[in-house]
Every structure is written in structure tokens, then in C-alpha cells.
Amino acid sequence: PGSIRAAHGQRPPLLGTSCAMAWPAQQAGLVVSGCQHETVAEIVTGGFSPFGDNHGKPVFKKDTPVKGVDVLLYYWDARDGAIFSGWWFGPKVGGDQVWAHNPDAAAATPPRTGWKVPCNGPVDPGFTVGPRGGGGCGGCGGFGGWGG
């Protein structure tokens, strides 16, 4: 997997110190499933737990590293250009290597669908991200892109 970010040499700041628990529905974390790209599926499929925030939105870390590598799901804003904006899967926030991308910068949480796998490829129609346990946050009907 490659990254369009690497071509521009952009290096983001480290994770913020505020906690993703500011979004109550995220306390249980999320689940990624349905990826049709065999290699990427082995990396991103599974459970993720809250792991801080970046650019004002939550970061999630896969519960189990893959071959010793952490897998993060994070948001990057448009400060480096609109092409870099959106939600990303990679081994570190803002790193040069990424596996999947969703350009929905308006979503407060990772979008359920619309993920490009690999990051510069087509949208994978089976790839879904949703709240762990399918519950969401009590009476809110889910949150962000997960409500429908």
C-alpha cells in the first residue's frame, strides 16, 4: 500500500492529548468488516478502541496489532490540501503508509461506507465501519455516519 501523502513529504503533529471519550457513543469502539481487498482485509478487519483524537475528531486503534504493527483509524483535515482530507487507516497518524481512505471530511466519526481500498483505488462496496455491538449511543440512533 502506498500513500499520496508521501509524495508531498507532509508530516503531521503527534496525536492530541484530549480523549476520544468526549464522544460518548465511542466508548465501546468500532468494528471494521467486509473489506474485499484480501491484503488490506487482513490488516483492517476487526475491533478498534478509542485512542485519543487528531484534528478535533476521534482516533481508533485496532485491538490486536497485525504482524507487530499497530493499525489506526484517524481523521486528517484539509490543512495540507483537500486531497489529504478525510478518514484514513494507517500504522500511525499522518504517516506515509495508508491502507484505506474515506474523503468524507464532514463526518464527525468514521463513515460507515464509501471507503477506497486501497487508498487510491475504487470504493469497496462491502467495506463497513460501525459501532462495536451495533449499539450506538442510547437514544441517538447512532452517531456521525453510523446512523443509517
Side-chain angles (χ1 to χ4, degrees):
S3 170
I4 53 177
R5 197 171 318 208
H8 298 283
Q10 299 295 326
R11 289 286 182 183
L14 296 175
L15 283 176
T17 56
S18 61
C19 180
M21 296 299 173
W23 291 270
Q26 296 167 12
Q27 292 178 6
L30 54 84
V31 175
V32 176
S33 62
C35 181
Q36 297 175 10
H37 187 284
E38 186 176 339
T39 302
V40 175
E42 291 178 21
I43 297 167
V44 302
T45 299
F48 286 71
S49 297
F51 189 68
D53 66 77
N54 190 64
H55 294 180
K57 296 186 184 185
V59 173
F60 295 89
K61 181 178 178 181
K62 189 170 181 185
D63 297 334
T64 307
V66 178
K67 296 180 182 177
V69 176
D70 287 331
V71 180
L72 301 177
L73 170 52
Y74 64 93
Y75 173 76
W76 195 258
D77 65 19
R79 69 184 66 194
D80 297 320
I83 194 168
F84 299 117
S85 184
W87 294 88
W88 299 87
F89 281 88
K92 63 182 182 176
V93 172
D96 292 340
Q97 182 179 22
V98 294
W99 300 295
H101 174 238
N102 190 308
D104 186 353
T109 57
R112 179 179 293 278
T113 60
W115 292 91
K116 294 181 179 185
V117 182
C119 66
N120 58 351
V123 170
D124 180 339
F127 192 114
T128 60
V129 177
R132 191 184 315 254
C137 61
C140 76
F143 60 97
W146 299 352

